[in-house]
């Protein structure tokens, strides 16, 4: 890291991700909204987070819950108004919290004015805002054939035929999400200007959606990974091409760097840690951090990709996380996450959500990840140990990705029975993360506050009487209070060693224990976590390291120093840290 870029404010910050539709409903229509977020700010402040990342709140027809934007400069009707947004910003800033918005600029909605104009004729000035191509030919019955074999992320061809102008447009996501043409300088200028507009309103940062897809392979050649007759997503072919870096640098120079101390985190699928350095090295002036998918893609299915029932092994998981720690050390910066709005709940996938292990494993996962170097991201409800949900019928699901995939494998291709496909949706579907936030044990988990008769847009997870914020608030042993303690330590005695410390994996080959040692100045931090639901013998190397410091944190009420780690036990020891600056 270059000297002047050392220690940015976001190196010590913790980000909390909000999915506004499912966070808090203030007016009883069953849909979370911006005033609902404003009401709950004290809860977030109390948790100890610094930045709130809001999933998209812009005007949208909601084909993909706001990731299909029809107006970048207005708020989705169900979520409130620009005045509500300004009020949220002001209230958040008043509490010392920053706001990061989702920046969805790989594509717009097909209902965006630019696209409506673009599709009106072949020679209008907006035509080149999107990617239009002629048919590659015509089938015997006259059906136009797409320009190439690319598959969209949400199923089927990535090309949609437009009758009026007789060309195809490209959509890497749903057909209601046409891809913008980043090659066109007018498109880029519109986007940069829009970013500056929000920054002038007071926005503090951006989570840059699907940006790795902006640069398309030159000449639009066929995707070599496709199997004939079975279209799958072409993301891995399209992602992470060279001009993504060029355009990020431009966006940084033209927009982000003009907004004060803006933080940016790019969503990029498929980068290596070497790519991660290119994206986040301060001297390259691209992004502050990236969100990659390597750890959450472990155990994917050879045939059904993310729709897998397999559980990743711990050795592989450690290899991936360790490679990012080592790869970015001193060069770039990591974003640390387990959960988000596209992933199943980590406590169900990587932990053990059975009642006897749920709390310990939720705390164990947080301990293992958030004491690594990088900026922690906590997704709403994760701090309560919220779990996956298993709705009985596909009709109970709202996520277009899950519903499209289910229809394709069950109805179109007959590759899986309804029951088999549903089991995979239960394991990996995005709605696991999108059920309403569980505020209390009253009707609908308190999602609509004092209007409990409201029907939420998606059913609540039936686990809410056991798992909710109100009950956990007063319980010192709760997951919520453990998160508070962990974040507090991170900001206090662990601050420097967590931010700057070297990272050395311990017992890397051990299939049950995740352990590492971090050192900085005179301080030494050791983290050891049992990643199984049984007692395990602590590896000798780990035990020895644990003896080097004083116990600082653990997820069992009675601390022990024996060589047996209890199910999902996490131990953190510290030696020689400076005094905590403030309590
Ligand atoms: C990102 C978002 C996801 C969305 C997609 C298309 O992956 O996280 O929710 O569906 O981009 O915008
Ligand atoms: Ca509402």
């Amino acid at each position: 890291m270059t000297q002047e870029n050392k220690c940015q404010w976001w190196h010590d910050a913790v980000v909390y991700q909000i999915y506004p539709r499912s966070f808090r409903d203030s007016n009883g229509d069953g849909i979370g909204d911006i005033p609902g977020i404003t009401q709950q700010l004290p809860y977030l402040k109390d948790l100890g987070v610094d930045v709130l990342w809001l999933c998209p709140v812009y005007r949208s027809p909601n084909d993909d819950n706001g990731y299909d934007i029809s107006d970048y400069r207005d708020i989705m009707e169900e979520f409130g108004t620009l005045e509500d947004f300004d009020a949220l910003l002001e209230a958040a800033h008043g509490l010392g919290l920053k706001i990061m918005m989702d920046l969805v600029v790989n594509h717009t909605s097909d209902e965006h004015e630019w696209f409506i104009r673009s599709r009106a004729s072949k020679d209008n000035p907006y035509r080149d805002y999107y990617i239009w191509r002629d048919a590659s030919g015509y089938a015997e019955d006259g059906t136009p054939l797409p320009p190439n074999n690319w598959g969209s992320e949400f199923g089927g061809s990535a090309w949609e035929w437009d009758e009026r102008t007789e060309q195809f447009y490209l959509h890497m996501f749903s057909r209601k999400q046409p891809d913008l043409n980043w090659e066109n300088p007018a498109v880029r200028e519109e986007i940069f200007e829009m970013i500056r507009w929000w920054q002038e309103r007071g926005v503090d940062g951006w989570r840059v959606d699907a940006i790795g897809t902006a640069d398309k392979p030159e000449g639009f050649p066929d995707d070599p990974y496709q199997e004939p007759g079975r279209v799958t997503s072409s993301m891995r072919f399209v992602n992470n091409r060279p001009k993504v870096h060029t355009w990020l640098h431009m966006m940084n120079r033209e927009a982000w760097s003009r907004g004060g101390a803006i933080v940016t985190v790019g969503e990029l699928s498929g980068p290596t840690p070497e790519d991660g350095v290119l994206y986040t090295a301060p001297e390259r002036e691209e992004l502050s951090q990236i969100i990659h998918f390597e750890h959450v893609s472990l155990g994917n299915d050879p045939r059904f990709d993310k729709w897998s029932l397999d559980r990743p092994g711990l050795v592989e998981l450690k290899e991936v996380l360790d490679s990012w720690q080592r790869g970015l050390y001193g060069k770039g910066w990591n974003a640390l996450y387990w959960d988000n709005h596209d992933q199943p709940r980590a406590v169900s996938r990587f932990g053990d959500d059975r009642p006897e292990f749920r709390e310990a494993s939720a705390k164990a996962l947080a301990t293992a990840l958030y004491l690594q170097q990088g900026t922690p991201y906590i997704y709403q409800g994760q701090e309560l140990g919220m779990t996956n949900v298993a709705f009985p019928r596909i009709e109970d699901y709202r996520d277009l990705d899950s519903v499209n995939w289910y229809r394709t494998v069950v109805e179109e291709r007959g590759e899986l029975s309804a029951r088999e496909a549903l089991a995979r949706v239960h394991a990996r579907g995005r709605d696991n993360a999108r059920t309403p936030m569980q505020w209390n044990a009253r009707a609908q988990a308190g999602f609509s506050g004092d209007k409990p008769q409201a029907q939420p847009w998606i059913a609540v997870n039936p686990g809410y009487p056991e798992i909710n914020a109100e009950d956990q608030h007063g319980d010192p042993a709760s997951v919520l209070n453990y998160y508070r303690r962990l974040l507090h330590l991170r900001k206090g005695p662990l601050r420097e060693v967590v931010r700057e410390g070297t990272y050395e994996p311990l017992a890397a080959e051990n299939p049950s224990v995740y352990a590492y040692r971090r050192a900085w100045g005179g301080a030494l931090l050791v983290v050891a976590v049992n990643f199984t639901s049984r007692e395990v013998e602590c590896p000798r190397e780990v035990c020895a390291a644990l003896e080097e410091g004083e116990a600082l944190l653990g997820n069992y009420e009675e601390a022990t120093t024996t060589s047996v780690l209890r199910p999902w036990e996490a131990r953190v020891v510290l030696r020689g840290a400076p005094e905590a600056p403030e309590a």
Side-chain angles (χ1 to χ4, degrees), residues 525-538:
L525 166 71
V526 180
V527 178
V529 180
N530 176 359
F531 259 69
T532 76
S533 303
R534 47 191 164 72
E535 290 190 342
V536 301
E537 192 59 38
C538 182

Side-chain angles (χ1 to χ4, degrees), residues 1 120 144 186 192 198 305 326 389:
M1 244 170 263
F192 301 160
W198 283 103
D305 193 40
R326 290 172 150 168
V389 74

Side-chain angles (χ1 to χ4, degrees), residues 338-453:
W338 288 120
D339 288 71
N340 66 35
H341 66 295
D342 294 328
Q343 298 296 326
R345 292 284 180 179
V347 70
S348 300
R349 177 153 185 239
F350 294 98
D352 186 337
D353 64 10
R354 290 175 293 174
E356 63 272 42
F357 302 115
R358 183 185 62 82
E359 292 176 281
S361 68
K363 296 170 188 171
L365 291 175
T367 315
L369 188 66
Y370 295 145
L371 296 176
Q372 300 191 7
Q373 188 182 53
T375 300
Y377 283 70
I378 298 170
Y379 178 72
Q380 65 185 45
Q382 182 190 332
E383 77 280 18
L384 306 175
M386 274 179 67
T387 62
N388 277 355
V389 74
F391 293 133
R393 301 166 314 145
I394 193 66
E395 290 74 23
D396 300 322
Y397 286 85
R398 300 286 170 266
D399 168 30
L400 87 166
D401 182 31
S402 305
V403 173
N404 288 356
W405 177 77
Y406 176 96
R407 303 247 179 265
T408 307
V409 294
V410 176
E411 290 160 20
E412 262 171 51
R413 294 190 191 143
E415 289 176 327
L416 290 174
S417 71
R419 179 212 280 263
E420 287 165 331
L422 203 55
R424 288 168 190 258
V425 170
H426 291 164
R428 296 294 292 275
R430 306 196 295 180
D431 282 340
N432 282 309
R434 299 177 181 186
T435 60
M437 175 73 177
Q438 292 162 201
W439 292 107
N440 57 47
R442 295 187 289 284
Q444 311 293 4
F447 175 56
S448 299
D450 56 1
K451 303 181 186 67
Q453 68 289 357

